[in-house]
Amino acid sequence: MKANYYVIYFIIYFLVICIQFTTSYINHTAVCFVITRPEQTMFEFVGELALDGLKYGLEIFIMIDDDQFEIPTSWIPLYVQTLHISNETCFQNGYRRTTFVYTWPLEITSWDKTLFYFCELNLKHSFLWIIEADVFISSVQAFRAVHQLYSPISDLIVQQVIPNTIGDTSQWSHYSVAIGRLLPPWYRSMANILGLSRHLLNTIAEFIHWRGYNAFHEFSVQTLSLNLNMIVVSPTEFDTLFWRKDHSWDDVHQKPNNFFHPVKDKVLHKLWHERYSLFLFLSIIG
C-alpha cells in the first residue's frame, strides 16, 4: 500500500514538472527593437519593459543595424540583450530585402538580422515582437495588455490588413515587387510593429530557404499568413500607427493604451513617458 503512495506521488510530481515546463515554453516571448544606432534615452523604457516582462516570460533584445556601433555598457539595463549580426552572415543565408523598398540600395537591415536570429539561431521563443524604435508605447502596462490579450490566439499581430484578391498592382505602388514572389490574393499593411508566432517564423524561414531571399515585409508576412489560413489579428490599439503623422501628447492622453507611429524624437518618448507616469500617479491618489 505504501508503495502505491510513492508511485502516485511520483506521477503527480512528474505531471507538475511537465506542466511547468510546457507553460514556461508557451509563455516564452521575445521583444526585439530594431534600430540603426540606438540613443541612450530609449533604454530607460526598454529597461522598464524588461523588468516588467520577468513576471510573464518576456525577454528583451535590441538589434543594431550598424555593425561598427558599440553600445556603452553603462547604457544597457539589466535583462536587456543587444545583438549584432554581420551583413555577410545574413546575405549568405538569404535574409535580405525584407525592407528593400524603403532602404534601397541597402538589401540588409536590422529587420533581416532580427528574422535571421529568431528563425535560425534562437528558436526557444514561442512568440516574437519586432518593434521599430519610432513606435511609441505609453507604458509597460499598455504593452502587457496587448501582448497578453492577442498573442495567445494569433499567428500574426499587425495593423489593419488591406486585401487585394485579384493581384491588381494598381492598388498600391509597392505591389510591383510582389509579382513572381507570391501568388494572389495579396494582403498588405503597415509593418512598423509585428507580432509573430513560432509557426509563422518557421514559415518565413521556409520561404526564405526556398526563394533565397525575403519579400517586402509590408505584404509578405500578411500574404503568407492569410493564404496559409493562419490567425491574423489587427488590434484597435494599432489604429494610431501611420506612415506619416505628427502625433501629440493629446493623442496619447486620449488613447493611452494605443501604440503610436511615427514618433522619431526620442526626447519626446522620454517626456511622454514621464507625463503618463505622472498622470497614472495622480489618477491613483484621486
Side-chain angles (χ1 to χ4, degrees):
M1 200 64 184
K2 197 171 183 180
N4 289 340
Y5 282 124
Y6 284 125
V7 171
I8 294 169
Y9 175 82
F10 177 77
I11 292 172
I12 292 172
Y13 177 80
F14 178 75
L15 288 173
V16 168
I17 294 298
C18 288
I19 290 169
Q20 287 177 341
F21 176 80
T22 304
T23 303
S24 67
Y25 174 77
I26 291 172
N27 292 335
H28 208 45
T29 296
V31 177
C32 189
F33 291 89
V34 291
I35 190 167
T36 303
R37 282 174 157 241
E39 299 174 25
Q40 187 174 4
T41 50
M42 77 171 288
F43 283 92
E44 185 174 340
F45 178 72
V46 170
E48 291 175 9
L49 197 61
L51 284 173
D52 187 68
L54 294 175
K55 305 170 189 173
Y56 58 100
L58 201 70
E59 282 192 280
I60 306 296
F61 300 82
I62 298 175
M63 181 65 75
I64 301 162
D65 236 343
D66 187 344
D67 292 342
Q68 307 304 314
F69 182 74
E70 291 293 335
I71 300 177
T73 54
S74 60
W75 290 13
I76 304 171
L78 283 174
Y79 310 113
V80 174
Q81 302 175 58
T82 58
L83 302 171
H84 286 88
I85 292 177
S86 71
N87 290 352
E88 183 181 1
T89 298
C90 283
F91 188 87
Q92 290 174 346
N93 288 277
Y95 284 80
R96 56 194 179 98
R97 298 191 180 184
T98 301
T99 60
F100 190 53
V101 167
Y102 293 143
T103 58
W104 186 88
L106 296 176
E107 280 199 310
I108 297 166
T109 68
S110 50
W111 274 90
D112 301 283
K113 296 175 181 185
T114 298
L115 288 173
F116 173 69
Y117 181 76
F118 289 101
C119 287
E120 306 289 345
L121 303 182
N122 184 346
L123 309 181
K124 71 178 184 179
H125 300 94
S126 58
F127 202 86
L128 168 67
W129 288 97
I130 305 177
I131 306 175
E132 293 182 351
D134 58 352
V135 173
F136 178 78
I137 305 169
S138 66
S139 65
V140 296
Q141 294 86 353
F143 177 82
R144 190 192 326 133
V146 167
H147 171 66
Q148 293 183 335
L149 182 60
Y150 300 112
S151 68
I153 60 168
S154 308
D155 289 298
L156 173 64
I157 304 174
V158 68
Q159 200 232 28
Q160 183 179 8
V161 174
I162 301 169
N164 180 349
T165 55
I166 60 173
D168 179 4
T169 56
S170 68
Q171 289 188 16
W172 185 45
S173 59
H174 300 319
Y175 269 139
S176 59
V177 299
I179 299 170
R181 290 174 173 83
L182 288 166
L183 293 174
W186 295 327
Y187 303 87
R188 67 180 175 93
S189 72
M190 290 282 291
N192 30 57
I193 174 169
L194 294 179
L196 308 117
S197 70
R198 172 53 55 190
H199 179 35
L200 179 52
L201 288 169
N202 291 341
T203 301
I204 292 169
E206 290 171 6
F207 176 77
I208 292 172
H209 296 164
W210 171 60
R211 290 289 310 180
Y213 55 87
N214 201 7
F216 184 41
H217 69 324
E218 288 194 358
F219 82 88
S220 61
V221 289
Q222 301 83 341
T223 300
L224 282 171
S225 302
L226 288 162
N227 285 349
L228 293 173
N229 297 315
M230 295 186 194
I231 298 172
V232 177
V233 173
S234 296
T236 57
E237 292 88 345
F238 285 10
D239 290 349
T240 42
L241 299 173
F242 297 96
W243 181 41
R244 287 180 178 169
K245 181 176 170 61
D246 291 327
H247 290 290
S248 68
W249 164 248
D250 285 340
D251 297 330
V252 177
H253 188 234
Q254 290 168 13
K255 295 184 176 181
N257 294 324
N258 277 31
F259 294 9
F260 296 86
H261 179 275
V263 182
K264 296 189 178 296
D265 187 342
K266 301 305 182 295
V267 175
L268 272 184
H269 281 238
K270 181 176 175 59
L271 176 62
W272 290 354
H273 283 137
E274 290 172 351
R275 280 188 183 177
Y276 186 69
S277 297
L278 179 61
F279 167 73
L280 281 181
F281 174 73
L282 293 175
S283 64
I284 290 169
I285 65 174

